[in-house]
Amino acid sequence: MTNFSDRVEQVSISGIREVFEAAGENAINLGLGQPDFAAPAHAREAATEAIRDGLADGYTENKGMKSLREAIAAKHARDQELDVDPGDVIATAGGSEALHVALEAHIDAGDEVIIPDPGFVSYDALTRLTGGTPVPVPLRDDLTIDPDAIEAAITDSTEAFVVNSPGNPTGAVSPPEDVREFARIADEHDILCISDEVYEYTVFDGEFHSPMEFADTDNIVVVNSASKLYSMTGWRLGWVTGSTRRVERMLRVHQYAQACAAAPSQFAAEAALTGPQDLVTEMTESFRERRDLVVDGLEEIGLDVPTPGGAFYAMPEVPEGFVDECLDRGVVVVPGEAFGDHGEGYARLSYATDEESLRAALDVMADAYDAVV
């Protein structure tokens, strides 16, 4: 009988999906990071026009349409004052593929990749699929990534580390001094920093900064996506950028795994990036209000929860049995250990849903809490 690769045997189905699929049909789903806004109308129209005019029927360049890559470069110039060459951008099938090609192009079997714990589920799994070894490091009490913990975990086998701000599953936003430290660590230790910036626009407290703003070397690769920036998760359009030599290697992975991102999605993302940005402001303000509602509600229940500075997740400390009680009562939350061993004793919930559902979910969570304490 044929066997499976050791790499694939090291990973399993995401704990987020397992919880989601175990829930009842009418459950309130606070498990998935899915904004409840429609994609910008001008983005949808751009894709429709391209399809109608027959412009989206064929392959694009492997890196993506030049006009899209120019729009991405202009976005980085506008938002971070970074000088990104459009030739150093690859349009990918969402931020997920961008992470995959970044790791695949840089990690050999046995290389260590430092990842935040708790952290986004793909960091561990994608590292293992390269043959690399994930090295989880715990977060601070406020759930921000600790540069000192990253530096302390570096060994002769370390090839890269991943940072994510605003963070999933925590909603934590790294302060500028920490982001500067991420760049210093990458420069001084000559290792790669992969900066996952997909929640860049959803910041309530503090301000967003990219390690690429502070780096003196090319040891930074940035992953981003239209998915969370413009509520376009289903369009599967992300990108990765870095120095020319790094992009050339990542392109080798991308062109064989994907060939190119879907053409209709490229037209839509270009329009989202270059058109009116009203939706960004509307989403951020709405998520801020929901953040406040959820944090206040969780604290009233009796749970301790660091106030998330961005994204649309909260990660309260919860008593044993709380997650199961929520699921039994029809509210989907994700156990913290799905995001790493240091997530045990926490639960992640997404507040990217309507306020009525959030209020109903908080009532259920109060009953669940009472049942286990």
Side-chain angles (χ1 to χ4, degrees):
M1 185 173 67
T2 58
N3 295 315
F4 300 101
S5 72
D6 290 339
R7 296 186 306 281
V8 80
E9 290 297 307
Q10 291 185 59
V11 302
S12 58
I13 299 299
S14 161
I16 303 172
R17 289 287 177 176
E18 287 182 343
V19 170
F20 175 67
E21 292 176 5
E25 183 177 338
N26 297 317
I28 301 173
N29 180 16
L30 306 184
L32 292 180
Q34 172 70 50
D36 63 337
F37 289 82
H42 53 280
R44 289 180 277 132
E45 183 60 28
T48 301
E49 288 184 5
I51 293 169
R52 185 184 300 118
D53 295 343
L55 302 178
D57 293 341
Y59 293 116
T60 71
E61 295 179 47
N62 288 142
K63 289 182 180 178
M65 301 186 309
K66 183 179 179 182
S67 56
L68 169 61
R69 291 183 284 112
E70 289 173 341
I72 292 169
K75 171 251 174 294
H76 285 290
R78 178 185 71 222
D79 294 339
Q80 289 96 41
E81 298 183 355
L82 290 172
D83 184 14
V84 173
D85 188 321
D88 291 333
V89 174
I90 303 172
T92 60
S96 299
E97 195 218 346
L99 282 169
H100 172 67
V101 301
L103 286 163
E104 196 71 54
H106 291 93
I107 304 304
D108 280 324
D111 286 345
E112 293 178 351
V113 179
I114 298 169
I115 61 174
D117 181 3
F120 181 46
V121 293
S122 291
Y123 304 150
D124 182 288
L126 290 176
T127 297
R128 294 181 187 277
L129 289 174
T130 69
T133 301
V135 178
V137 296
L139 307 178
R140 298 186 179 111
D141 290 343
D142 66 357
L143 301 183
T144 56
I145 299 170
D146 186 353
D148 290 340
I150 292 174
E151 196 157 27
I154 294 173
T155 71
D156 290 342
S157 297
T158 303
E159 188 65 28
F161 64 97
V162 180
V163 295
N164 175 214
S165 172
N168 177 8
T170 65
V173 176
S174 294
E177 58 269 24
D178 285 353
V179 180
R180 190 182 294 273
E181 280 294 283
F182 299 149
R184 180 194 62 78
I185 291 168
D187 289 341
E188 291 187 5
H189 292 273
D190 196 25
I191 57 177
L192 182 68
C193 172
I194 299 175
S195 183
D196 180 350
E197 303 179 1
V198 301
Y199 296 94
E200 172 190 346
Y201 285 163
T202 312
V203 176
F204 320 126
D205 304 324
E207 56 187 14
F208 172 81
H209 285 282
S210 170
M212 193 173 276
E213 298 173 40
F214 306 112
D216 293 325
T217 68
D218 77 339
N219 288 345
I220 311 290
V221 163
V222 166
V223 166
N224 212 322
S225 170
S227 292
K228 309 302 169 72
L229 300 188
Y230 297 106
S231 193
M232 296 174 64
T233 54
W235 294 85
R236 309 312 304 137
L237 195 291
W239 66 88
V240 62
T241 186
S243 67
T244 300
R245 69 185 184 113
R246 296 192 186 280
V247 167
E248 197 275 334
R249 269 71 175 188
M250 290 187 286
L251 184 63
R252 299 180 194 181
V253 181
H254 170 72
Q255 69 177 354
Y256 292 114
Q258 188 67 25
C260 64
S265 299
Q266 293 190 51
F267 282 99
E270 179 184 343
L273 287 160
T274 58
Q277 301 295 297
D278 308 60
L279 179 64
V280 172
T281 301
E282 180 185 354
M283 288 172 59
T284 301
E285 290 307 311
S286 178
F287 290 141
R288 184 198 307 274
E289 293 173 2
R290 300 183 212 183
R291 185 273 309 261
D292 293 343
L293 169 66
V294 166
V295 170
D296 289 347
L298 293 173
E299 289 178 343
E300 288 177 10
I301 290 170
L303 297 171
D304 291 328
V305 54
T307 300
F312 33 73
Y313 306 106
M315 203 166 191
E317 294 185 57
V318 298
E320 186 175 354
F322 175 81
V323 171
D324 288 338
E325 289 289 339
C326 288
L327 290 172
D328 289 346
R329 288 167 165 79
V331 171
V332 179
V333 297
V334 183
E337 55 266 32
F339 303 96
D341 289 344
H342 290 99
E344 185 175 0
Y346 290 84
R348 189 202 76 169
L349 58 92
S350 166
Y351 47 86
T353 190
D354 63 277
E355 290 193 13
E356 181 180 355
S357 295
L358 291 174
R359 293 182 190 279
L362 286 166
D363 289 341
V364 171
M365 285 188 275
D367 292 339
Y369 179 79
D370 290 340
V372 295
V373 297

